[in-house]
Amino acid sequence: MYHEATHSFASHGVKLSSVEVDLSAMMAQKDKAVGNLTKGIEGLFKKNKVTYVKGYGKFLSPSEVSVDTIEGGNTVVKGKNIIIATGSDVKSLPGITIDEKRIVSSTGALALSEVPKKLVVIGAGYIGLEMGSVWGRLGSEVTVVEFAADIVPTMDGEVRKQFQRSLEKQKMKFMLKTKVISVVTAGNTVKLTLEPAAGGDQTTLEADVVLVSAGRVPFTAGLGLDKIGVETDKAGRILVNHRFGTNVPGVYAIGDVIPGPMLAHKAEEDGFACVEYIAGKEGHVDYDMVPGVVYTHPEVASVGKTEEQVKALGVDYRVGKFPFLANSRAKAIDDAEGVVKILAEKETDKILGVHIMSPNAGELIHEAVLALHYGASSEDIARTCHAHPTMSEALKEAAMATYDKPIHI
């Protein structure tokens, strides 16, 4: 809202004498939203007669969990079936100590007491770019340091390039192929020592705040998994079968602690399927059809294969693209940066992947998710009536471009 007020209002005829950020009020609104959501979950527990035990749990046996409660006591919870759903934690980097004040994780980045003048983000994945985008739009000078040659390596290469250009236009700087040697706090300043990933001369960089976002790791420490013999892989992920069962009968695992994309909605689908199996029914999650969204501005959303993945499969394919610059709604609201890209099998026209960069791309992607689930062709989307003027029309036009040609470009 602040960024829009300072960058877009005047051209829409809305004049303000001054605009400023009240960070404490902003954080209070955020805390209220989080509080309401978590209280809502507690309300659902009561409604569905779920007993909520607050504390740190660890296995005593495959059917018993000892809980050190937040009140300071201890209780043992017994169950015929136990699901491990402890999620993930921030991946630490050697020699970097996170204090959540000057050197922060994504948790600390959501609770800074002031807008940092200079913010350095270590890691150009989803979380780093999202947090960098937030503070950049609030006025921080943001520099992203990434060891790899590209930002968000899982993203479609063509869309990634457009996305990086968009962030650079917003004054976000990138230092790719760069290794972080050390991060040291000195008073109110953080000093980083860097060197090229391939080796070379060291350089230094100073910041007010450094965000460490080099990925996440399964949170399984202290759960007593070794005590009951639960198997994990080298990355610390719990190994499960298609029913989400571990090698220990009666013990299951879902979400970030098992293989697959570390996304909240993937974990939710795991949970549905796991409980359906426990209840004697059938469950199903297709990890190839889990949408991914980068919540920056513009957003980037995708589902299915990237062009690089399709090429690697050796499948003959077609590509259809449509820019939001030719979309009526995007032009009308003067927010037309972005593109829809569709990949479809050449012979059958079956959609293989959809990638969207635009405002609200995370909302637009679900039509594509549904299309992939039902094995739709690009022609199926192209021949579906879309309301005008909407951003969704760009998906229809990209589908038209895939199997034939669009009409508005």
Side-chain angles (χ1 to χ4, degrees), residues 299-363:
E299 293 179 353
V300 181
S302 61
V303 65
K305 308 285 187 201
T306 64
E307 187 165 358
E308 290 74 19
Q309 289 172 327
V310 174
K311 276 181 184 170
L313 290 171
V315 177
D316 286 337
Y317 66 97
R318 282 197 300 254
V319 178
K321 290 176 277 193
F322 190 79
F324 279 88
L325 274 169
N327 174 267
S328 303
R329 181 71 173 265
K331 292 287 280 182
I333 63 172
D334 196 23
D335 201 351
E337 188 175 21
V339 67
V340 178
K341 177 178 179 178
I342 297 177
L343 299 144
E345 194 173 13
K346 192 170 186 178
E347 188 180 351
T348 63
D349 191 36
K350 182 180 178 181
I351 298 171
L352 301 172
V354 178
H355 309 274
I356 305 173
M357 178 179 121
S358 75
N360 298 323
E363 303 289 349

Side-chain angles (χ1 to χ4, degrees), residues 35 38 42 48 88 92 102 133 150 170 175 179 191 194 200 202 212 229 232 247 268 305 309 335 347 355 363 383 391:
T38 52
E42 290 189 33
N48 292 285
S88 59
S92 59
R102 292 286 168 192
S133 174
D150 298 301
Q170 295 173 49
M175 297 179 70
K179 183 180 181 181
K191 188 176 177 182
L194 313 170
Q202 292 188 353
V212 180
T232 58
N247 62 306
E268 186 176 18
K305 308 285 187 201
Q309 289 172 327
D335 201 351
E347 188 180 351
H355 309 274
E363 303 289 349
R383 291 192 180 278
M391 306 286 275

Side-chain angles (χ1 to χ4, degrees), residues 252-269:
Y252 301 80
I254 62 164
D256 286 5
V257 294
I258 69 170
M262 285 184 164
L263 298 167
H265 44 284
K266 173 266 191 187
E268 186 176 18
E269 295 300 321

Side-chain angles (χ1 to χ4, degrees), residues 101-249:
K101 297 214 170 19
R102 292 286 168 192
I103 304 172
V104 301
S105 68
S106 54
T107 305
L110 286 165
L112 297 178
S113 57
E114 60 185 14
V115 178
K117 187 173 183 300
K118 290 185 179 179
L119 171 69
V120 170
V121 178
I122 301 173
Y126 282 46
I127 297 169
L129 295 181
E130 288 168 349
M131 290 293 99
S133 174
V134 167
W135 291 107
R137 281 177 283 162
L138 289 173
S140 296
E141 292 175 30
V142 180
T143 302
V144 180
V145 180
E146 170 59 50
F147 184 81
D150 298 301
I151 68 170
V152 202
T154 54
M155 192 179 285
D156 181 90
E158 185 180 18
V159 175
R160 183 200 300 125
K161 282 176 187 166
Q162 284 201 38
F163 180 43
Q164 186 173 333
R165 280 199 299 270
S166 173
L167 295 175
E168 285 170 341
K169 272 198 270 182
Q170 295 173 49
K171 298 183 179 171
M172 192 180 284
K173 294 174 186 167
F174 292 92
M175 297 179 70
L176 305 176
K177 299 183 187 175
T178 303
K179 183 180 181 181
V180 178
I181 303 298
S182 67
V183 180
V184 181
T185 306
N188 292 332
T189 305
V190 186
K191 188 176 177 182
L192 298 93
T193 303
L194 313 170
E195 73 176 30
D201 295 338
Q202 292 188 353
T203 56
T204 57
L205 190 62
E206 290 192 348
D208 299 297
V209 173
V210 172
L211 164 61
V212 180
S213 59
R216 298 185 68 82
V217 291
F219 183 78
T220 54
L223 301 183
L225 299 185
D226 50 348
K227 184 172 185 176
I228 62 168
V230 171
E231 286 182 358
T232 58
D233 65 12
K234 287 179 182 176
R237 298 175 301 190
I238 296 170
L239 298 172
V240 293
N241 59 26
H242 76 284
R243 293 174 171 268
F244 300 92
T246 68
N247 62 306
V248 179

